[in-house]
Amino acid sequence: MSSLTDHLFRTLAAVSPGSRLLDLECGDRTVTHALAALGFDLHATASRTEVAVRTQHAVATAFPALADRVITAAPRALGYPDHFFEWVVALGSYDAIEADRLGDALAETRRVLKPGGWVFVAVRDGADVSPDWLDERMQDAHFAIAERPKRDEGADGGVVRGIYRKVDRDVIG
């Protein structure tokens, strides 16, 4: 496991096991499997059918009910009801999205989150990507910062990660 996934699992250790969670773009089946093992009401998506099928097969033995919850869906069109998830885990989910379409994907993530819901986001570090870049995109999508973005170096190169919350006027007391 990388320091990124270590941080993810430390963060989620404080989350109620029955919480509904979306593994957005579940390219790494080991993360999906580990999230299921933690007892979350887990759903997972992949924009490519072959990735969704591989993930379904990888988790089906240990978690038969999860296989039906791994679907093919693009980050810009998830197909879940509004306010469905308490958490969205987006590890690399937005990396391949063109800059002019990123706002659509973030708006869709926000739509499926319950008021007060959280998103753990990581994007591949690069020339145009920095902690400030991520924070600006997330705030433009009306997410509140919960953990300031930072660079995280790993075996596969660096990422910028942060935690954000969907906060609307009806959440504020």
Side-chain angles (χ1 to χ4, degrees), residues 90-98 102 122-125 129 159:
L91 302 182
S93 307
Y94 308 121
D95 287 353
I97 298 174
E98 308 84 33
L102 181 58
V123 293
R124 205 169 286 291
D125 196 2
V129 177
V159 297

Side-chain angles (χ1 to χ4, degrees), residues 10-145:
R10 278 193 310 273
T11 299
L12 294 177
V15 176
S16 172
S19 296
R20 189 172 294 143
L21 185 142
L22 173 62
D23 184 3
L24 182 63
E25 286 291 340
C26 60
D28 184 351
R29 296 174 302 281
T30 59
V31 171
T32 306
H33 193 279
L35 292 171
L38 290 172
F40 293 111
D41 179 5
L42 184 64
H43 296 253
T45 66
S47 56
R48 295 186 356 236
T49 302
E50 61 273 14
V51 173
V53 169
R54 277 197 318 261
T55 302
Q56 286 169 342
H57 292 304
V59 299
T61 302
F63 309 100
L66 180 57
D68 291 340
R69 293 180 175 195
V70 178
I71 64 168
T72 303
R76 294 186 337 253
L78 295 172
Y80 294 102
D82 293 354
H83 317 295
F84 195 66
F85 296 102
E86 280 93 11
W87 275 86
V88 171
V89 173
L91 302 182
S93 307
Y94 308 121
D95 287 353
I97 298 174
E98 308 84 33
D100 62 335
R101 305 300 298 250
L102 181 58
D104 295 338
L106 292 173
E108 181 69 350
T109 298
R110 192 172 197 293
R111 182 190 67 76
V112 300
L113 275 172
K114 290 182 177 183
W118 304 83
V119 59
F120 187 107
V121 59
V123 293
R124 205 169 286 291
D125 196 2
D128 296 335
V129 177
S130 68
D132 289 339
W133 178 91
L134 177 60
D135 193 45
E136 184 178 312
R137 298 308 168 286
M138 296 302 287
Q139 289 193 38
D140 285 350
H142 307 288
F143 284 100
I145 189 169

Side-chain angles (χ1 to χ4, degrees), residues 146-165:
E147 180 181 277
R148 188 154 308 285
K150 65 175 266 184
R151 281 191 166 84
D152 190 353
E153 298 300 324
D156 297 331
V159 297
V160 174
R161 65 163 164 84
I163 301 174
Y164 290 84
R165 192 164 193 197

